Amino acid sequence: MALTLFDTDEYRPPVWKSYLYQLQQEAPHPRRITCTNEVENRPKYYGREFHGMISREAADQLLSVAEGSYLIRESQRQPGTYTLALRFGSQTRNFRLYYDGKHFVGEKRFESIHDLVTDGLITLYIETKAAEYIAKMTINPIYEHIGYTTLNREPAYQKHMPVLKETLDEKDSTGQDGVSEKRVHTFRGPHWCEYCANFMWGLIAQGVKCADCGLNVHKQCSKMVPNDCKPDLKHVKKVYSCDLTTLVKAHITKRPMVVDMCIREIESRGLNSEGLYRVSGFSDLIEDVKMAFDRDGEKADISVNMYEDINIITGALKLYFRDLPIPLITYDAYPKFIESAKTMDPDEQLESLHEALRLLPPAHCETLRFLMAHLKRVTLHEKENLMNAENLGIVFGPTLMRSPELDAMAALNDIRYQRLVVELLIKNEDILF
């Protein structure tokens, strides 16, 4: 799929390329070849896929049934060492297998052999089918068109820009001397590289994330990114659908201006409005507010003179959160929040929510804090607006949280917990933040 670049004075959303995503969907699925015999001295961390000390030829014969078939065998030449034998491309591939609490054959570490094989098959399939395509991914990037960096043109003699400092450290840290850190990162749900617009394939560690601005890129694309990732306001041509961290860095604010302005307007004239946030405003006028913010930013006029119906303003605020490319409660933090909602003991539940909040990027956490304080004030007017924490949880649960799972049924089952998360955040806002 071709990517058209536009003049920097005219914003167009990036065109995400689907080719690599389609290849991942086509990749062979793992098929475990189980051993029917009892094997002595089987390591406790392997299952029935372990066949003991068998030859390469015997493994090859067992795996010939289908693509994606796999088993584990003990080396005959080096007893005590183990090999993952995997069928791919009508051939048996053999990989030295290690375990240190997690399974690995290279840099990536997996909780299960099944996940390791799944990720391996995806990688083998994509790199076999699209080797030339991958080699050319960094050509025609979208990076400077989506607002992450000034990308100042350098003199011709400065051919190489300094790159981001790579680290595997998972702890929160900031770059020194203006150099932003990027960390190998596991993305929940489908993600696209914000440098080349291609899909980031694999089950885990699909790419790297900038610790400063939140930029998500392939590891190979990160070598092309300059070290100064401060977003450039002239490239951030919109408010809605823009990454939250990028927006606040570009405008040098603690929170997105749309959140501050809408909440200020709602609290000045709408707290007693019946069904606040539950009642929908006229969709065309909500779209007008969105366009006003995208066009005028903090100068947008959302006063009573322009929009008398407060439900238009509440609708515009909800739309802002729904349009975020990364939800306010991020995909990475989502499982911990859902786990918190499922915890039965009240004290453990609050502690779990504290831990979940620490997983959010600073701009996301601050915006969530500000929103929950506002919604708590909404509940103080429940007699007039008929909106308590439970009702607001129903409205904001699916607005602030989106399941990283591709399984529609799994996502559907989470809805009640999403509601409960928001309800708990509102009720305990003074304790949690």
Side-chain angles (χ1 to χ4, degrees):
M1 183 185 296
L3 180 70
T4 304
L5 294 183
F6 298 88
D7 184 87
T8 53
D9 290 330
E10 181 183 6
Y11 177 82
R12 290 291 186 275
V15 179
W16 304 115
K17 304 173 186 178
S18 62
Y19 176 54
L20 298 181
Y21 177 76
Q22 292 167 356
L23 288 183
Q24 174 159 313
Q25 300 300 100
E26 296 169 7
H29 296 288
R31 179 172 176 174
R32 184 173 71 155
I33 303 299
T34 57
C35 183
T36 56
N37 303 320
E38 283 299 324
V39 181
E40 293 184 4
N41 301 321
R42 182 177 69 193
K44 62 182 180 180
Y45 40 82
Y46 296 141
R48 303 291 295 186
E49 70 276 2
F50 183 73
H51 286 249
M53 196 176 288
I54 63 173
S55 66
R56 282 189 173 219
E57 292 74 21
D60 187 54
Q61 187 173 359
L62 288 169
L63 295 173
S64 62
V65 291
E67 284 283 283
S69 299
Y70 71 93
L71 59 81
I72 298 171
R73 62 182 180 85
E74 185 174 1
S75 173
Q76 293 178 326
R77 293 181 179 179
Q78 295 178 288
T81 63
Y82 305 99
T83 298
L84 172 67
L86 173 66
R87 191 74 171 179
F88 178 80
S90 301
Q91 294 180 343
T92 298
R93 311 284 184 102
N94 293 281
F95 303 91
R96 181 75 172 270
L97 187 60
Y98 301 90
Y99 181 80
D100 64 355
K102 292 188 178 181
H103 304 279
F104 62 99
V105 297
E107 292 182 356
K108 295 185 180 183
R109 283 165 164 73
F110 298 84
E111 297 288 347
S112 70
I113 293 293
H114 182 273
D115 285 352
L116 186 156
V117 174
T118 302
D119 187 85
L121 287 169
I122 290 170
T123 302
L124 285 169
Y125 188 79
I126 288 179
E127 291 182 353
T128 299
K129 293 282 186 179
E132 185 177 350
Y133 183 91
I134 291 171
K136 297 179 178 179
M137 282 197 312
T138 56
I139 299 174
N140 200 17
I142 63 165
Y143 180 64
E144 69 177 286
H145 295 266
I146 60 175
Y148 278 100
T149 181
T150 54
L151 279 181
N152 292 325
R153 296 290 183 264
E154 293 189 321
Y157 60 84
Q158 291 182 324
K159 293 183 179 179
H160 300 289
M161 293 181 286
V163 298
L164 298 172
K165 174 185 175 184
E166 184 177 345
T167 175
L168 298 180
D169 185 8
E170 293 296 329
K171 296 180 182 178
D172 188 25
S173 58
T174 55
Q176 297 179 353
D177 300 325
V179 178
S180 297
E181 293 188 56
K182 68 179 190 305
R183 306 169 189 156
V184 174
H185 190 78
T186 293
F187 298 95
R188 308 295 180 186
H191 269 69
W192 273 256
C193 175
E194 291 164 325
Y195 182 84
C196 71
N198 280 289
F199 179 67
M200 302 170 76
W201 66 89
L203 284 192
I204 68 168
Q206 303 96 328
V208 297
K209 176 188 280 286
C210 176
D212 188 28
C213 72
L215 179 70
N216 303 322
V217 292
H218 293 110
K219 190 173 181 179
Q220 60 265 48
C221 290
S222 67
K223 297 180 175 70
M224 309 297 294
V225 178
N227 65 355
D228 178 12
C229 64
K230 181 180 177 182
D232 189 338
L233 191 58
K234 72 174 181 287
H235 288 308
V236 181
K237 294 293 187 180
K238 58 177 181 174
V239 172
Y240 282 69
S241 302
C242 178
D243 174 71
L244 190 150
T245 300
T246 299
L247 187 69
V248 299
K249 282 183 172 292
H251 290 272
I252 317 176
T253 58
K254 293 173 66 176
R255 298 173 297 273
M257 86 283 286
V258 63
V259 175
D260 282 9
M261 291 175 63
C262 284
I263 286 178
R264 190 184 311 126
E265 192 67 25
I266 292 162
E267 294 196 352
S268 70
R269 60 184 173 98
L271 288 177
N272 292 328
S273 178
E274 184 175 330
L276 189 68
Y277 285 111
R278 180 179 56 80
V279 176
S280 300
F282 187 47
S283 59
D284 285 357
L285 292 178
I286 292 173
E287 192 66 24
D288 283 348
V289 175
K290 172 184 175 179
M291 291 173 63
F293 275 115
D294 284 342
R295 182 183 63 246
D296 304 325
E298 61 187 10
K299 296 180 180 179
D301 184 359
I302 58 171
S303 67
V304 66
N305 296 328
M306 286 295 294
Y307 304 102
E308 184 177 355
D309 183 3
I310 198 63
N311 297 313
I312 295 167
I313 309 304
T314 60
L317 181 60
K318 289 186 292 183
L319 180 61
Y320 170 75
F321 288 120
R322 286 198 301 271
D323 278 0
L324 285 173
I326 299 174
L328 186 60
I329 293 177
T330 61
Y331 292 121
D332 292 335
Y334 181 94
K336 187 64 178 178
F337 276 95
I338 294 297
E339 178 189 317
S340 303
K342 293 179 179 179
T343 303
M344 302 303 295
D345 182 87
D347 292 334
E348 291 181 8
Q349 192 171 59
L350 285 178
E351 180 58 33
S352 184
L353 280 171
H354 265 298
E355 293 174 7
L357 288 168
R358 285 196 288 268
L359 298 176
L360 294 177
H364 285 248
C365 191
E366 166 58 23
T367 303
L368 183 62
R369 180 203 65 78
F370 190 73
L371 177 63
M372 292 303 110
H374 161 65
L375 295 181
K376 184 70 169 286
R377 291 190 288 273
V378 171
T379 65
L380 298 179
H381 296 258
E382 181 188 350
K383 287 185 178 180
E384 294 78 25
N385 61 38
L386 307 180
M387 295 300 289
N388 57 25
E390 182 181 357
N391 293 335
L392 290 168
I394 292 171
V395 173
F396 277 95
T399 299
L400 305 182
M401 306 178 71
R402 295 199 295 274
S403 172
E405 297 294 331
L406 296 176
D407 184 352
M409 284 304 298
L412 194 62
N413 290 334
D414 280 354
I415 289 179
R416 59 177 172 156
Y417 298 113
Q418 293 173 356
R419 296 170 177 174
L420 184 56
V421 165
V422 175
E423 181 182 344
L424 289 167
L425 290 173
I426 295 171
K427 287 181 176 178
N428 300 284
E429 169 267 333
D430 54 336
I431 300 172
L432 290 170
F433 293 97

